[in-house]
Amino acid sequence: MIRTGIGYDSHRLVEGRELILGGIVIPFDRGLEGHSDADVLCHSIIDSVLGALGEGDIGMHFPDTEARWKDASSIDLLKKVIEMARERGYEVSWVDASIIAEAPKLGPHLEAMKKEIAGSGVKQDRINLKATTNEGMGFTGRGEGIAVIAVSTLTGTGS
Ligand code: MG
């Protein structure tokens, strides 16, 4: 069985928060606002895996109305979702994601992000990360926030 899922997420950039992407802290003057660590890359990947599993979305599994997910590590949430896939007889065989951010420059951090994401159970050589700007257009272009589109492929026997 081969299944694919898409994920999309965006968060607002605000002052007074650390910028966490792919489980690592990236030096910047602002960070992403959110109930958890607001790791928009992990959230998007989580949604893509849940999509492939036919399991709805991140908000259904880790609702922001529940105190236990406040400041939760999104890498840990990704780990839980990958375990969920394994229980259903699937491995995450490929992840591709595009991070849309005007600043900071993310290229130099992509390998470190991949390494960190690999700790959640996807092999490092099965992850492709890309960073792009939005050419100054829209909310990402104005630097108001960061968005991520992710696609995951799951392979396995299914259950
Ligand atoms: Mg989110």
Side-chain angles (χ1 to χ4, degrees), residues 26-145:
I26 292 166
F28 195 48
D29 60 351
R30 289 171 295 157
L32 296 170
E33 187 176 47
H35 187 71
S36 65
D37 60 8
D39 188 333
V40 66
L41 174 57
C42 285
H43 292 182
S44 189
I45 295 172
I46 287 169
D47 262 357
S48 68
V49 174
L50 289 173
L53 286 173
E55 273 291 342
D57 64 38
I58 188 169
M60 293 163 59
H61 293 269
F62 312 108
D64 60 12
T65 49
E66 278 183 33
R68 64 184 166 139
W69 306 123
K70 183 166 165 31
D71 299 320
S73 152
S74 298
I75 285 280
D76 287 343
L77 303 185
L78 179 58
K79 217 175 274 180
K80 286 182 197 298
V81 167
I82 289 168
E83 278 164 20
M84 192 189 296
R86 286 206 177 116
E87 283 163 16
R88 306 284 181 82
Y90 289 100
E91 287 292 325
V92 178
S93 54
W94 197 261
V95 173
D96 185 25
S98 289
I99 308 164
I100 304 147
E102 212 66 18
K105 283 267 169 274
L106 296 172
H109 303 288
L110 296 179
E111 280 307 311
M113 290 183 205
K114 277 163 74 167
K115 200 172 173 187
E116 199 62 30
I117 292 166
S120 67
V122 192
K123 290 194 180 75
Q124 196 172 337
D125 61 358
R126 302 296 183 95
I127 305 165
N128 189 71
L129 298 178
K130 308 182 291 298
T132 184
T133 71
N134 219 21
E135 299 279 334
M137 297 180 288
F139 74 89
T140 50
R142 289 188 297 270
E144 293 167 12

